[in-house]
Amino acid sequence: MRKPVLYLVSLFPCWSETFIVRELHALKDKGVPLSIASLKHHHEPLVHPFAESLRDRVIYPSGIALLLWHALVATSRKPFRNLAWLWRVTKSLWRHPDHLLKSYGTIVLALDLAERLRAEPPSRVHAHWATYPSTAAMILADNLNIPFSFTCHAHDIFLQDHLLKEKIARAEPAVTISEFNVDFLNKRLKGLPKPLEIVHCGVDLDDFSYYQGERLAGNIVAVGRLDEIKGFAYLIQACGALRKKGVAFTLTIIGEGEERPHLERLIQDLDLKDQVTLAGVMAQDQVRDHIKNAALFALPSIPDKNGNMDGIPVALMEAMALGTPVISTRVSGIPELVEHQVTGWMCEPKDADGLAEGLETLLTDPKQAMHLASTAHQRIEENFDCRKEAQKLLNLFEGRKVATAKGLTTINPTSTTGRRKVLIVTDEMEVGGSQRQIANLLTAIDQTRIEPVLLYFREHSFLVDQIKAKGVRVHYLPKSGKIDWGFFWALVRFLRQERFDVIHAYSITAELWVALARRLAGTRSKLISSIRGQYDEYSPLQWRIKQWVTRQSAEVISNSKMAAQFAYRQMAMPDDDCTIIYNGVQMPDPSLPLPADLATKRSGDDWLLAFVGRLSAEKNVPCLLRAAKRLQETGQERITIWLIGDGPERPKLEAMAADFGLENLHFLGARNDVDAILRHADGSVLCSLWEGLSNALLEAMAAGKPVIASDVGGSPEIVHNERNGLLFPSNDDQALADAIRRLAADPELSQRLGRQGKADIAERFSVHAMVDHHQISYGVSRASRTAA
């Protein structure tokens, strides 16, 4: 029989810690034997039914006499070790006498538990909160010689430091709930002793299923303790502004706390007593009913003067799971859950006017609100399902791969240097989308924790020089023809000699040869294969090869959801395990001048449209040339088009442009100053027949330029029509010409689309986000911000 996992918490059951109970139930449902240690005896008047069902598993502290006896006996077994704990706690907390005294009591409670569990110790102890529970868990684990782990959340790290650095170093694993927390702790502790794993608090999607019924028009619901950090005062002020504008609404705030008198006065002062209700504490099912019937859920969190703030509030997750549109603020980890105008509406903290504007928008545009709600529900299903998150935690407990929203990570680096040896393999390093992403990845990767190596077979370009300049080792292994056995055996020898922890292949040629060579080399490297386009041109043989490689891979990374879904359909395989990591781009320097050699090609009066991409069949440049001909025939001669890139189609395209008499269309070839050119263009276009996730689109949007793209592959995942760009039906040159004409004639539309596109790129498609997600797949968690 398996030994139980012991959960150690401050208080069980605790009315406000439903997320811990959900995690426990999810683990129990997976067959994990559990017991629970509570540092305090239960005293709360209300108990959730699903917490009550676990009461028979709870260990409470012994009576005072037995408690002290157990502590004395446990100390006598390991006197030096336990006295050392007393010293370390004293040294850490002597400036905070109240915390120190409570920690002394915590040590006694931990030693009481150690003595009571000594005959049948648990397999491990896991604590929630980085304060007293994790202190007790660490000391208990040390006395019983079992693994210790903990999850840190919000106030336990924002306000206090109870041996944080030592806890992270000792924990197996150390877990937190957000990327924000990782950055925060890295800065606070001036470097983490080892990577933190991210396991979200989650929602039970059976209890909080998507509600498609009628909602109460104008009804706003907020849930949370009446505490300053919830920002309810600003929500009430925003409601005052709504009342002045004549917007119909009601607000119900569910919760209790010390802010109630202040909020009541504010409601009275703003004459909102008929529209705003402080409803007090409610049972979970009542809260759920209020949220699912609401037109809008609001939680405008703020940091208080001491630096305390929310983590990722569970109430927001519950509302999103139920399909209720949400509005919140850019605080702590909330932007990792609520993405502005994608999964909800975001405001700045303490901005009552901005909050009022968002409330008015969502209340008066229910169609937009419900679109955001639908996307939000998908976000919860993908990243905040308590069962999936519990599986991540269980995998970490058992030292196995961790399936996260960003990919798969393995525990414990195998490199003798302590760094993960990661090989990036591609067939060619000419200037293309995948190659630019490889360069972005390798020039920003954290080389203090990863030893990266690039291996390629042909086509050197300036990108290789950029990678080398960052100190990354580059290995060129020449290959000729489709089958080159000399190349293959050299590859086998290379893999056998280097013994990489991870091999990440970026093209089908690289995937096939690496998968075969890896077997003969006898290496146990984790193989990651890629999906970087829609691959409409693949033959049945190529799809069979792709299917075989996918089955050999520990992980598949795609740069778009649509491309992944298409590829897995072609391979007749489920796409559940595919990791989506969007391409990342650098935000360009706004002061970049137009390259001198192009100054004579640019007329100040022309509207300049840029195409960036390889001149190959899938980019469908003939569609753009036909559109340019239509524009020229209708008198749009003041539109200039620059084609940036090279490839096998260039001679045919130049001949076609000459036949059409396109005097304002210029072929610029491959260039390494694309960011400077885009900075001075008026718009950008991509007319592909198939596409993964286009770097060209991302770079143009990062430069603040309006984009026009064909609605294929991953482009609709970047470009939302009429919001941050324009989409047109693939290969429809008339629709493309109309879109170009529309942007050139409407500067206000161009500027609006460009601004929104730039904001979206900064939020969702940064290089750091892309690198962070890859590093999780490589087994070292997030990137160091000083690595690049």
Side-chain angles (χ1 to χ4, degrees):
M1 182 176 177
R2 293 168 65 186
K3 291 183 177 181
V5 172
L6 176 69
Y7 260 61
L8 202 155
V9 294
S10 289
L11 174 67
F12 192 93
C14 179
W15 182 256
S16 62
E17 295 181 356
T18 55
F19 54 90
I20 297 178
V21 182
R22 287 178 187 145
E23 186 173 282
L24 286 164
H25 273 289
L27 289 171
K28 181 171 71 71
D29 292 344
K30 294 177 184 297
V32 179
L34 292 167
S35 57
I36 305 163
S38 174
L39 295 180
K40 300 175 186 176
H41 287 279
H42 180 253
H43 59 266
E44 294 190 330
L46 296 175
V47 177
H48 293 294
F50 55 98
E52 182 65 42
S53 66
L54 297 172
R55 285 282 287 273
D56 61 343
R57 300 167 184 258
V58 184
I59 306 168
Y60 290 107
S62 301
I64 186 66
L66 190 58
L67 180 78
L68 294 174
W69 173 250
H70 283 160
L72 184 62
V73 173
T75 301
S76 68
R77 294 181 189 275
K78 296 183 176 181
F80 295 109
R81 186 170 295 184
N82 286 311
L83 288 172
W85 281 120
L86 187 68
W87 164 246
R88 286 204 284 273
V89 166
T90 303
K91 183 180 178 183
S92 174
L93 296 173
W94 67 270
R95 293 183 182 85
H96 307 279
D98 52 338
H99 295 175
L100 180 59
L101 289 174
K102 290 179 182 178
S103 294
Y104 286 160
T106 299
I107 294 173
V108 173
L109 291 167
L111 295 175
D112 170 51
L113 269 174
E115 203 56 32
R116 293 165 67 186
L117 297 173
R118 192 173 302 280
E120 295 184 21
S123 61
R124 67 160 46 242
V125 56
H126 182 76
H128 271 274
W129 307 105
T131 50
Y132 308 107
S134 53
T135 299
M138 182 166 60
I139 294 171
L140 172 65
D142 191 38
N143 275 268
L144 295 181
N145 297 315
I146 60 175
F148 142 74
S149 52
F150 75 105
T151 300
C152 54
H153 294 264
H155 67 80
D156 53 328
I157 59 173
F158 299 150
L159 297 182
Q160 302 173 38
D161 181 353
H162 288 204
L163 297 169
L164 271 174
K165 201 155 193 172
E166 181 165 359
K167 288 176 180 176
I168 293 171
R170 285 175 171 267
E172 303 174 36
V175 178
T176 192
I177 62 166
S178 69
E179 295 180 10
F180 176 89
N181 284 0
V182 176
D183 278 342
F184 178 88
L185 285 169
N186 190 40
K187 291 173 184 173
R188 177 171 189 171
L189 302 178
K190 298 179 180 178
L192 294 170
K194 71 179 187 185
L196 278 166
E197 303 294 341
I198 297 176
V199 177
H200 298 127
C201 295
V203 175
D204 187 333
L205 293 174
D206 291 338
D207 289 340
F208 291 85
S209 58
Y210 193 84
Y211 177 66
Q212 296 180 320
E214 291 294 321
R215 297 176 183 271
L216 299 174
N219 178 235
I220 307 165
V221 167
V223 178
R225 178 174 170 78
L226 303 188
D227 186 288
E228 180 185 355
I229 67 170
K230 298 299 180 182
F232 291 146
Y234 296 93
L235 178 58
I236 292 170
Q237 291 173 26
C239 286
L242 289 183
R243 182 175 178 275
K244 289 181 180 178
K245 291 182 177 182
V247 178
F249 74 93
T250 59
L251 168 64
T252 302
I253 301 177
I254 301 171
E256 197 53 81
E258 62 277 5
E259 279 279 290
R260 174 179 275 273
H262 170 58
L263 299 180
E264 287 175 336
R265 286 194 301 273
L266 194 57
I267 292 168
Q268 184 72 28
D269 292 345
L270 296 174
D271 193 20
L272 294 172
K273 57 184 179 298
D274 294 333
Q275 291 158 296
V276 179
T277 302
L278 301 181
V281 176
M282 292 184 184
Q284 182 70 55
D285 57 346
Q286 293 176 296
V287 175
R288 182 170 57 241
D289 288 343
H290 273 277
I291 295 174
K292 77 179 186 182
N293 290 314
L296 183 60
F297 182 90
L299 189 56
S301 301
I302 64 169
D304 70 11
K305 59 182 179 296
N306 298 317
N308 192 22
M309 51 190 155
D310 274 322
I312 304 183
V314 175
L316 270 174
M317 300 178 203
E318 292 172 347
M320 293 165 73
L322 289 167
T324 303
V326 301
I327 181 169
S328 192
T329 46
R330 295 180 177 90
V331 168
S332 185
I334 295 175
E336 297 167 42
L337 176 69
V338 184
E339 196 171 338
H340 184 54
Q341 294 189 350
V342 177
T343 62
W345 194 278
M346 292 290 275
C347 308
E348 295 304 319
K350 302 184 181 182
D351 181 4
D353 291 337
L355 189 57
E357 180 183 350
L359 291 169
E360 181 181 8
T361 299
L362 296 183
L363 289 175
T364 57
D365 188 354
K367 185 177 179 180
Q368 178 186 4
M370 294 316 296
H371 172 72
L372 297 179
S374 176
T375 310
H377 178 76
Q378 294 174 15
R379 173 69 56 87
I380 297 298
E381 284 185 324
E382 291 172 3
N383 298 342
F384 295 90
D385 179 341
C386 68
R387 291 179 177 85
K388 292 181 180 178
E389 298 308 300
Q391 184 63 56
K392 293 180 194 176
L393 194 60
L394 179 57
N395 289 345
L396 288 166
F397 288 168
E398 297 178 351
R400 293 186 281 115
K401 295 171 185 174
V402 179
T404 72
K406 308 173 187 65
L408 295 172
T409 180
T410 51
I411 313 306
N412 298 330
T414 57
S415 166
T416 57
T417 66
R419 294 194 294 164
R420 301 283 280 173
K421 285 187 69 174
V422 176
L423 177 67
I424 305 295
V425 189
T426 187
D427 49 358
E428 56 194 16
M429 276 304 294
E430 64 176 355
V431 182
S434 291
Q435 291 78 14
R436 295 176 82 91
Q437 286 302 305
I438 290 172
N440 284 340
L441 173 62
L442 290 179
T443 54
I445 205 164
D446 184 355
Q447 292 190 48
T448 66
R449 292 184 289 168
I450 289 178
E451 181 185 341
V453 179
L454 171 65
L455 173 67
Y456 71 104
F457 312 154
R458 58 179 184 266
E459 302 292 345
H460 179 101
S461 75
F462 68 87
L463 294 173
V464 175
D465 300 325
Q466 288 181 357
I467 293 167
K468 286 181 176 178
K470 287 292 183 178
V472 175
R473 185 155 55 100
V474 176
H475 193 81
Y476 172 59
L477 191 61
K479 176 179 176 291
S480 59
K482 290 187 176 181
I483 298 178
D484 182 342
W485 293 114
F487 154 81
F488 176 68
W489 291 114
L491 178 59
V492 171
R493 288 193 298 272
F494 178 72
L495 297 184
R496 185 180 293 147
Q497 177 182 349
E498 292 282 351
R499 297 287 171 179
F500 292 98
D501 295 301
V502 179
I503 302 175
H504 184 179
Y506 266 74
S507 64
I508 190 170
T509 304
E511 290 167 351
L512 174 62
W513 291 111
V514 162
L516 292 169
R518 175 173 162 270
R519 286 192 162 196
L520 287 176
T523 175
R524 299 178 64 185
S525 308
K526 173 183 177 179
L527 176 61
I528 300 175
S529 56
S530 303
I531 297 171
R532 303 203 60 83
Q534 198 159 304
Y535 303 148
D536 283 353
E537 80 283 12
Y538 271 17
S539 67
L541 174 60
Q542 285 175 305
W543 278 121
R544 284 196 290 273
I545 292 171
K546 188 71 177 173
Q547 183 188 61
W548 179 81
V549 169
T550 298
R551 286 175 173 159
Q552 308 307 306
S553 303
E555 182 178 1
V556 179
I557 294 177
S558 176
N559 62 355
S560 83
K561 293 177 183 176
M562 191 171 294
Q565 291 166 354
F566 177 83
Y568 275 87
R569 280 198 305 271
Q570 295 298 110
M571 295 186 291
M573 297 173 67
D575 63 355
D576 297 349
D577 293 332
C578 188
T579 302
I580 309 300
I581 300 180
Y582 290 124
N583 291 350
V585 294
Q586 299 281 6
M587 303 305 288
D589 181 352
S591 64
L592 288 171
L594 182 68
D597 63 313
L598 298 180
T600 57
K601 287 185 169 62
R602 175 74 201 272
S603 168
D605 298 329
D606 283 5
W607 196 85
L608 177 59
L609 181 69
F611 165 88
V612 180
R614 190 165 183 262
L615 302 185
S616 52
E618 75 275 8
K619 297 300 180 182
N620 196 23
V621 180
C623 179
L624 176 57
L625 300 190
R626 293 194 300 271
K629 182 182 179 185
R630 288 180 180 275
L631 292 169
Q632 187 168 279
E633 289 171 348
T634 56
Q636 302 290 328
E637 66 276 0
R638 302 311 299 174
I639 295 175
T640 295
I641 300 174
W642 286 357
L643 300 176
I644 305 164
D646 219 330
E649 296 283 299
R650 179 168 179 172
K652 183 173 75 174
L653 295 171
E654 288 180 329
M656 185 177 178
D659 289 343
F660 286 171
L662 299 177
E663 297 179 356
N664 288 345
L665 186 143
H666 305 280
F667 292 83
L668 304 187
R671 301 183 65 103
N672 61 3
D673 51 7
V674 173
D675 49 353
I677 298 174
L678 286 174
R679 179 77 188 84
H680 294 271
D682 296 302
S684 182
V685 64
L686 188 74
C687 38
S688 306
L689 292 171
W690 61 87
E691 192 67 59
L693 199 82
S694 169
N695 291 314
L697 279 181
L698 297 176
E699 290 168 352
M701 293 168 74
K705 306 304 174 182
V707 296
I708 304 168
S710 53
D711 57 355
V712 299
S715 295
E717 295 174 43
I718 313 171
V719 181
H720 301 283
N721 194 38
E722 302 285 347
R723 178 177 172 273
N724 61 7
L726 299 178
L727 292 172
F728 72 96
S730 178
N731 207 32
D732 187 339
D733 53 88
Q734 180 62 64
L736 175 55
D738 291 343
I740 296 171
R741 186 183 295 112
R742 185 180 170 199
L743 286 185
D746 191 342
E748 185 177 341
L749 173 65
S750 292
Q751 291 171 9
R752 176 174 66 80
L753 297 178
R755 282 195 304 270
Q756 186 60 56
K758 185 174 183 178
D760 289 347
I761 296 304
E763 188 167 352
R764 299 180 62 206
F765 298 97
S766 70
V767 168
H768 281 313
M770 181 269 291
V771 174
D772 284 346
H773 296 176
H774 276 92
Q775 292 199 163
I776 286 174
S777 287
Y778 300 160
V780 297
S781 190
R782 294 167 53 82
S784 165
R785 290 296 184 254
T786 60

